[in-house]
Amino acid sequence: MAAPHRGARPHARRMLAVPATAAAAALLAAGCGGGGGAGGGDVELRFSWWGSDDRHETTQEVIDLFEEKNPGITVTAEYTSWDGYWDKLATSTAAGDMPDVVTMEERFLREYSDRGALADLNTLEGLDTSGVDELVASSGDVDGEKFGVATGINVFSVMADPAMFEEAGVEMPDDENWTWEEYIETAVEVTEATDGEIAGSQSMGYNENTFNIFARQRGESLYAEDGTLGFSQKTLEDWFGLVAQMQEEDATPSPSESVEIEAGGPDQSVISTGRGAMAHFWSNQLAAISGAAEGDVELLRYPGETGNERTGMFFKPAMYYSASSGTEHPEEAAAFIDFLLNDVDAGRMILADRGLPANTEVRGAVVDELTDADARSAEFVEDLRPDIVDGPPPPPIGAGDVVEIIKRITDDVQFGEITPQEAAERFTEEVEAATQQ
């Protein structure tokens, strides 16, 4: 799955930080090793990524095509599940043995770049990023250097199941101009019309991106450009207030049910299991969720996108391609990333597995070959484009911890153990502690 999984592991951050002195020395030594270059004979690159068996199989086919088009360069695959990826990468980085090309997630981009582990892609000859969608082109930039280039794009959205609305006898919302109040009213109406058999909405409190959209609509953001917090306490308290209101008015499942649903991931979402009308997911998850639902699930814009200071939705890189600062083969590493990013034949293999292709030309070339769900995601993205203002900056070091922080606090709000004001205070305090540099 291209979108980031829930369990971003804070342990990876600690592992990378513990041997910092040794890691720094190793990185410096590796950085002085120089480029082997194709002129020195056959070159072997190592490429690491996480994902499913399907992704592994497809990526190996892409590697085979690259090797066919680039004789003299061999790419060795290093892949694992999401859960093991960050521990493995942290360990190899600390030992000065990071793969030449790595897949990076936004929560960890600043961490690895700040520690000198990633190369500035702007300095690598042979890598052309001019075709990358302008709305994510600078997303991998930190302090004027480019440490990652987007593989593809996703957008966080409200997913709605028309079959559930029909069963409840409730009209589908008009997402062109609905408000947050109307979102809650709609969810309550579905729950009440079915005597609780269908939940109006899955809880929106477990993913920090929902709050980020809410904050951006007010001209604020979850994080500022310098990595500090970019929102006011009033905005955060208002958002937790909406989470509490939805629970109090039975717009969402019970607190205990919400805990179980969240732990089950997309497969156990209220839409996938036919127990709810709306949920919050990344657009690239539409295929999986639609496949488990009774019929086609629709992507909706977030409430509050009109009538506020600005729109809050944004295009997010599904993940990044990055290069090790210690690679002995920077030219070949650049050539491989360029191939993954810009080669249409590679794009036809990858399709939307790493998000809708970041290169707009490649995206246009493969759109007719996408699955129905991915094609509808692509159409949704293009419909949104005129209204997207910008994207958020890379999260600060420690942002991976925020996944668990917001889940804990949301649980406490939904169980009625703390007030929205207390939730806002706790969230700010814990996130500041986690991201303190």
Side-chain angles (χ1 to χ4, degrees):
M1 184 166 58
H5 297 266
R6 274 236 159 263
R9 291 166 67 87
H11 181 52
R13 177 170 66 90
R14 291 191 290 272
M15 282 191 68
L16 184 59
V18 169
T21 303
L27 286 168
L28 285 173
C32 294
D42 289 353
V43 167
E44 179 179 338
L45 296 177
R46 294 160 55 210
F47 174 41
S48 68
W49 71 88
W50 69 82
S52 65
D53 290 341
D54 286 344
R55 176 176 295 163
H56 302 334
E57 182 178 344
T58 298
T59 305
Q60 187 58 61
E61 292 174 356
V62 172
I63 289 173
D64 292 343
L65 179 62
F66 172 78
E67 292 177 341
E68 179 182 333
K69 292 187 175 185
N70 294 269
I73 305 178
T74 300
V75 179
T76 301
E78 298 184 8
Y79 54 85
T80 184
S81 66
W82 168 269
D83 288 341
Y85 184 80
W86 299 104
D87 287 345
K88 183 177 180 180
L89 186 61
T91 301
S92 64
T93 302
D97 191 37
M98 175 185 273
D100 301 273
V101 177
V102 298
T103 308
M104 188 60 54
E105 207 274 336
E106 70 167 6
R107 295 187 184 103
F108 301 105
L109 182 72
R110 189 184 294 267
E111 176 172 351
Y112 279 83
S113 65
D114 280 7
R115 283 171 167 76
L118 302 180
D120 178 3
L121 300 182
N122 288 326
T123 68
L124 300 187
E125 294 184 10
L127 173 56
D128 180 10
T129 61
S130 62
V132 175
D133 192 318
E134 63 180 4
L135 290 172
V136 294
S138 62
S139 59
D141 295 1
V142 178
D143 298 331
E145 296 180 291
K146 184 177 295 295
F147 295 109
V149 59
T151 65
I153 63 172
N154 292 322
V155 61
F156 210 53
S157 62
V158 178
M159 292 191 185
D161 187 347
M164 296 294 100
F165 277 93
E166 183 177 356
E167 185 172 338
V170 176
E171 289 188 9
M172 284 276 290
D174 176 9
D175 70 332
E176 291 289 339
N177 54 22
W178 63 335
T179 65
W180 286 97
E181 291 73 20
E182 289 169 338
Y183 160 65
I184 296 176
E185 289 171 2
T186 300
V188 170
E189 188 178 355
V190 170
T191 303
E192 290 180 346
T194 60
D195 294 326
E197 292 296 318
I198 299 175
S201 176
Q202 191 163 318
S203 173
M204 68 176 187
Y206 290 113
N207 195 305
E208 72 271 27
N209 288 289
T210 302
F211 168 65
N212 199 10
I213 291 171
F214 181 79
R216 282 163 56 85
Q217 290 173 350
R218 297 186 175 192
E220 303 174 21
S221 64
L222 176 56
Y223 304 116
E225 289 287 345
D226 62 359
T228 60
L229 302 186
F231 55 85
S232 67
Q233 286 299 287
K234 173 71 166 57
T235 292
L236 182 58
E237 184 177 338
D238 287 348
W239 184 76
F240 275 121
L242 294 179
V243 174
Q245 180 183 347
M246 293 183 71
Q247 189 65 70
E248 293 163 0
E249 298 184 8
D250 295 327
T252 59
S254 70
S256 57
E257 288 174 322
S258 290
V259 171
E260 293 179 2
I261 291 167
E262 175 60 24
D267 290 344
Q268 293 302 311
S269 74
V270 295
I271 294 181
S272 296
T273 58
R275 294 182 291 163
M278 294 184 288
H280 302 251
F281 286 103
W282 293 102
S283 56
N284 75 295
Q285 294 172 299
L286 179 63
I289 292 175
S290 288
E294 292 184 19
D296 286 341
V297 175
E298 293 189 12
L299 294 166
L300 304 181
R301 296 168 184 251
Y302 257 83
E305 286 290 276
T306 58
N308 284 297
E309 184 170 331
R310 45 158 285 167
T311 59
M313 296 180 73
F314 55 90
F315 292 164
K316 175 192 177 298
M319 55 190 80
Y320 295 100
Y321 295 127
S322 298
S324 167
S325 62
T327 179
E328 295 183 355
H329 310 291
E331 292 182 15
E332 289 80 5
F336 183 53
I337 295 175
D338 186 84
F339 174 80
L340 295 171
L341 185 68
N342 300 322
D343 190 279
V344 173
D345 291 331
R348 288 196 174 100
M349 292 179 173
I350 299 170
L351 294 176
D353 181 61
R354 287 176 164 87
L356 295 171
N359 182 304
T360 55
E361 181 180 349
V362 173
R363 191 187 310 165
V366 307
V367 68
D368 290 338
E369 302 177 38
L370 298 175
T371 64
D372 175 69
D374 288 336
R376 289 191 288 120
S377 295
E379 182 179 0
F380 181 70
V381 164
E382 288 308 309
D383 287 345
L384 282 175
R385 179 177 298 281
D387 299 320
I388 300 293
V389 178
D390 54 24
I397 294 175
D401 293 10
V402 177
V403 175
E404 296 303 322
I405 291 172
I406 200 166
K407 288 172 66 174
R408 290 198 311 269
I409 295 176
T410 292
D411 281 341
D412 288 346
V413 169
Q414 292 180 154
F415 277 101
E417 296 178 1
I418 58 175
T419 66
Q421 179 180 354
E422 292 169 333
E425 292 170 353
R426 265 186 53 191
F427 181 85
T428 300
E429 179 181 343
E430 292 189 30
V431 173
E432 284 183 335
T435 58
Q436 187 175 9
Q437 300 180 37

